Amino acid sequence: MQATHLPVAAGQVGRLTQSLMAMVLGLFIVGVVGFSHIDVIHNAAHDVRHSNAFPCH
């Protein structure tokens, strides 16, 4: 079995991509779900924030 070594830059690009995707997902959740006008979705997000002891108001 032969080991393949990736350059350091490839690992950094992977971490950067993962970080950017996590930020996009977070913004989506806050922007779309947190401020939703659909009461069921908004209340579910609100209850999750409270269950995680995250202040929201």
Side-chain angles (χ1 to χ4, degrees), residues 11-48:
Q12 290 173 348
V13 170
R15 276 185 254 139
L16 179 62
T17 302
Q18 290 175 0
S19 298
L20 289 174
M21 291 303 292
M23 285 188 276
V24 167
L25 178 62
L27 288 172
F28 173 79
I29 290 171
V30 170
V32 174
V33 176
F35 295 111
S36 177
H37 293 287
I38 301 171
D39 287 336
V40 173
I41 295 172
H42 178 80
N43 289 337
H46 188 256
D47 293 343
V48 169

